[in-house]
């Protein structure tokens, strides 16, 4: 994560004042879903920093962060669902999702199923193409997509917002905290994956009896 951008983003958000701090973060997260060249994680950490500096409440900011992430991702999915593969002809979409990349993402769906949507939340460069491709296919319903996305966001969003809140007064310390947060997210993800593998292994053995 490029932490250099956090102070700049915090300064930008703070210009809106206490009343519109939530709206600024919410809007930025939606645009991130459509490929705005600002890492979503930085936006969430910056929202937490705003709360730590007194511009917002950290718990409300967490809710705003979740809402912004889900609305942005859901909008990308619906864009694919409405336009189908014709979405590849939209200029700003074509920059992120070439026909070759679209085919590769489709292959991932064939290999791993709907859980690709869950894993995409932890792959910033592939997140938008995967969500858009999910929308163009008939492999997953909108509500199932939203559930998997919310499940994944519930792991990462609170970590970034509350780390930002905790380290708001010391950005040097926040750099170290963000690194620890990244390790924590991947550790939780690893535990979850191992748990799922164990669950399906046991289920398969029982069904084979």
């Amino acid at each position: 994560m490029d932490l250099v951008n956090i102070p700049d983003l915090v300064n930008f958000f703070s210009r809106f004042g206490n009343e519109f701090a939530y709206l600024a973060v919410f809007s930025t997260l939606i645009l991130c879903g459509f490929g705005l060249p600002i890492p979503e994680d930085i936006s969430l950490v910056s929202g937490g920093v705003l709360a730590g500096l007194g511009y917002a409440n950290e718990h409300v900011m967490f809710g705003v962060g979740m809402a912004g992430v889900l609305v942005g991702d859901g909008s990308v999915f619906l864009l694919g669902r409405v336009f189908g593969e014709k979405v590849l002809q939209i200029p700003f979409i074509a920059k992120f999702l070439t026909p070759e990349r679209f085919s590769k993402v489709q292959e991932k769906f064939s290999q791993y199923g709907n859980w690709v949507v869950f894993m995409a939340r932890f792959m910033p460069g592939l997140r938008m193409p995967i969500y858009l491709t999910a929308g163009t296919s008939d492999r997953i319903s909108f509500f199932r997509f939203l559930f998997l996305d919310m499940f994944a966001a519930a792991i990462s969003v609170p970590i970034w917002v509350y780390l930002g809140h905790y380290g708001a007064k010391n950005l040097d310390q926040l750099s170290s905290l963000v690194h620890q947060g990244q390790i924590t997210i991947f550790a939780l993800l690893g535990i979850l994956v191992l748990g799922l593998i164990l669950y399906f292994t046991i289920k398969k053995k029982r069904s084979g009896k």
Side-chain angles (χ1 to χ4, degrees):
M1 180 181 295
D2 186 2
L3 201 66
V4 175
N5 290 326
I6 289 180
D8 295 334
L9 198 55
V10 169
N11 289 333
F12 173 73
F13 287 155
S14 63
R15 292 177 184 177
F16 293 89
N18 297 44
E19 296 180 0
F20 297 101
Y22 300 118
L23 180 60
V25 174
F26 178 75
S27 301
T28 300
L29 288 171
I30 292 177
L31 293 175
C32 285
F34 283 91
L36 182 72
I38 297 177
E40 187 179 89
D41 300 342
I42 287 182
S43 301
L44 291 167
V45 172
S46 298
V49 172
L50 280 181
L53 295 176
Y55 290 97
N57 177 277
E58 65 272 23
H59 307 306
V60 176
M61 187 59 75
F62 161 61
V64 169
M66 285 291 293
V69 163
L70 294 177
V71 171
D73 295 345
S75 298
V76 170
F77 178 92
L78 290 175
L79 188 66
R81 181 55 51 91
V82 170
F83 289 96
E85 294 190 20
K86 291 181 180 179
V87 75
L88 299 178
Q89 300 173 10
I90 300 176
F92 85 91
I93 295 295
K95 292 181 180 179
F96 298 97
L97 190 59
T98 62
E100 294 77 16
R101 200 173 194 185
F102 180 74
S103 297
K104 289 182 180 179
V105 174
Q106 285 183 315
E107 290 177 9
K108 296 297 182 183
F109 269 101
S110 299
Q111 290 177 338
Y112 304 108
N114 295 339
W115 283 101
V116 172
V117 170
F118 175 85
M119 297 301 298
R121 172 128 300 279
F122 308 99
M123 299 183 289
L126 295 175
R127 189 182 298 153
M128 188 263 208
I130 287 176
Y131 292 164
L132 197 62
T133 303
T136 64
S137 71
D138 293 323
R139 299 174 185 270
I140 182 171
S141 69
F142 175 69
F143 292 106
R144 185 170 180 79
F145 166 83
L146 210 58
F147 171 77
L148 289 171
D149 191 37
M150 182 173 62
F151 186 20
I155 296 175
S156 60
V157 172
I159 289 177
W160 296 131
V161 171
Y162 289 113
L163 275 181
H165 174 262
Y166 181 77
K169 301 293 177 62
N170 189 339
L171 293 184
D172 292 331
Q173 182 188 29
L174 182 57
S175 176
S176 176
L177 290 174
V178 166
H179 179 65
Q180 294 174 22
Q182 291 172 326
I183 295 174
T184 300
I185 287 175
F186 285 111
L188 290 173
L189 187 61
I191 293 171
L192 178 61
V193 169
L194 288 175
L196 288 171
I197 292 174
L198 182 62
Y199 169 76
F200 286 114
T201 300
I202 295 174
K203 185 178 180 180
K204 185 177 181 179
K205 287 182 178 179
R206 288 179 176 177
S207 62
K209 290 182 179 180

